[in-house]
Amino acid sequence: MLNALAPVLPGLIGGSADLAPSNLTLMKMFGDFQKGSYEERNLRFGVREHGMGAICNGIALHNSGLLPYCATFYIFTDYMRSAMRMSALSEVGVVYVMTHDSIGLGEDGPTHQPVEHLASFRAMPNMNMIRPCGGNETAGAYKVAVASRKRPTTIALSRQGMPNLPGCSVEGVEKGAYVVHGGEGKPDCIIIGTGSELPMAVDAAKKLEADGKKVRVVSMPCWELFAEQSAEYKESVLPKDVTARVAVEAATSFGWERYIGQSGKFVGIDDFGASAPADILYEKFGITVDAVVAAAKAQM
């Protein structure tokens, strides 16, 4: 995505904390910015996450027209949280590209698997916390980030591949949450998903529909943007009289009661992860299509 943006955004400059090959954040048509090569746009920050965030804040605050981004594994925001908080406090639109966003990263284990981080950044004032699914939503996340010059954006990206689901769109991301499946009429149940678990939500909906249930699937990549929508729009996506709700996300349940209510069900992980391939971990922690189906049936 950055390599698509770089030619049309001449001010885009940034890099990774020594993880560019893993983050896929190297602008391939440019070299490294250094002494004597000031026209280049890749910054080699080294393994210094807090310094990386602070440098990007400085670039943004200079108001020269440059648009800074920086990247690392999502878990390593623990090392740079104060710099990210200063972005929000200072109202500068730094773009934080954070990959390997869940237990889905696999064998690196719980030291590298974010669990509470989505909730943590959703709690931070003036921060867009976006967790997209697939290419269309990722494009939408970058569109929001580039346009948001007074609010930083953290984009949480998964290690595992995922499909471009029918119904996923750039425009939907800009609204924070939107219907991607089963939008006609009043549903019996609403399933809300984000990122790599959105395909799971759609698969669960199709299973329930085979049993004669009417199910709506909502993609909710950004709570902050959804909260800013009109009451009418929010009601059209999450009608108040549909109380049978399930949220699925490979992260902690903290905060989800805002959208699923006290009677809703959450499928996720309220514990540290483990070291194993992603498919084994999802099964071990009960983040499966069958678990989503069971959670929905329990309310209908």
Side-chain angles (χ1 to χ4, degrees):
M1 196 64 65
L2 285 166
N3 282 285
L5 289 172
V8 295
L9 290 175
L12 188 66
I13 184 170
S16 171
D18 207 30
L19 285 169
S22 298
N23 297 141
L24 301 178
T25 49
L26 188 71
M27 290 185 282
K28 296 177 182 178
M29 65 287 292
F30 295 102
D32 296 338
F33 179 91
Q34 55 188 328
K35 183 178 180 180
S37 300
Y38 303 119
E39 74 281 5
E40 305 296 356
R41 288 157 60 181
N42 289 300
L43 298 176
R44 301 285 185 171
F45 291 106
V47 186
R48 46 176 70 85
E49 290 84 358
H50 172 71
M52 176 174 69
I55 290 167
C56 284
N57 283 339
I59 293 172
L61 286 165
H62 189 251
N63 290 322
S64 62
L66 297 177
L67 198 166
Y69 72 89
C70 61
T72 186
F73 290 173
Y74 196 24
I75 192 74
F76 297 143
T77 56
D78 286 348
Y79 300 135
M80 60 187 297
R81 184 178 177 85
S82 59
M84 298 173 76
R85 190 173 187 271
M86 285 304 298
S87 298
L89 182 61
S90 303
E91 297 184 346
V92 291
V94 175
V95 182
Y96 293 97
V97 183
M98 300 296 151
T99 67
H100 298 64
D101 70 348
S102 75
I103 60 169
L105 65 86
E107 289 87 344
D108 280 344
T111 58
H112 283 59
Q113 294 167 351
V115 174
E116 74 279 18
H117 294 66
L118 286 168
S120 169
F121 283 103
R122 285 168 179 159
M124 184 178 288
N126 197 43
M127 173 67 77
N128 288 324
M129 179 64 254
I130 307 181
R131 187 174 190 245
C133 171
N136 291 338
E137 286 200 349
T138 301
Y142 274 102
K143 182 179 180 182
V144 168
V146 168
S148 181
R149 296 297 81 222
K150 292 290 186 180
R151 178 189 292 176
T153 299
T154 299
I155 305 174
L157 301 169
S158 300
R159 181 187 186 188
Q160 60 269 46
M162 62 190 81
N164 263 325
L165 295 174
C168 285
S169 69
V170 170
E171 295 77 18
V173 174
E174 292 178 287
K175 292 185 176 294
Y178 62 108
V179 179
V180 296
H181 178 88
E184 304 79 19
K186 180 181 176 180
D188 298 313
C189 178
I190 297 172
I191 303 175
I192 309 170
T194 77
S196 52
E197 287 70 66
L198 186 61
M200 190 181 297
V202 173
D203 289 345
K206 291 177 179 178
K207 276 196 169 187
L208 290 163
E209 288 165 348
D211 290 338
K213 300 299 182 182
K214 188 171 180 58
V215 184
R216 173 178 296 183
V217 178
V218 171
S219 175
M220 188 175 280
C222 185
W223 291 18
E224 296 76 26
L225 294 175
F226 185 60
E228 293 173 355
Q229 304 306 309
S230 68
E232 292 76 18
Y233 178 77
K234 286 186 275 192
E235 176 66 17
S236 74
V237 176
L238 298 174
K240 293 184 180 68
D241 60 350
V242 182
T243 58
R245 300 183 182 188
V246 180
V248 55
E249 183 174 71
T252 179
S253 61
F254 190 88
W256 271 106
E257 63 276 0
R258 175 184 299 182
Y259 294 113
I260 62 175
Q262 294 300 318
S263 61
K265 303 291 185 182
F266 179 78
V267 176
I269 175 171
D270 282 316
D271 199 352
F272 293 112
S275 178
D279 56 343
I280 294 175
L281 290 173
Y282 272 73
E283 189 73 32
K284 168 184 168 62
F285 289 105
I287 308 172
T288 64
V289 171
D290 287 343
V292 176
V293 169
K297 284 184 175 179
Q299 301 176 74
M300 292 189 290

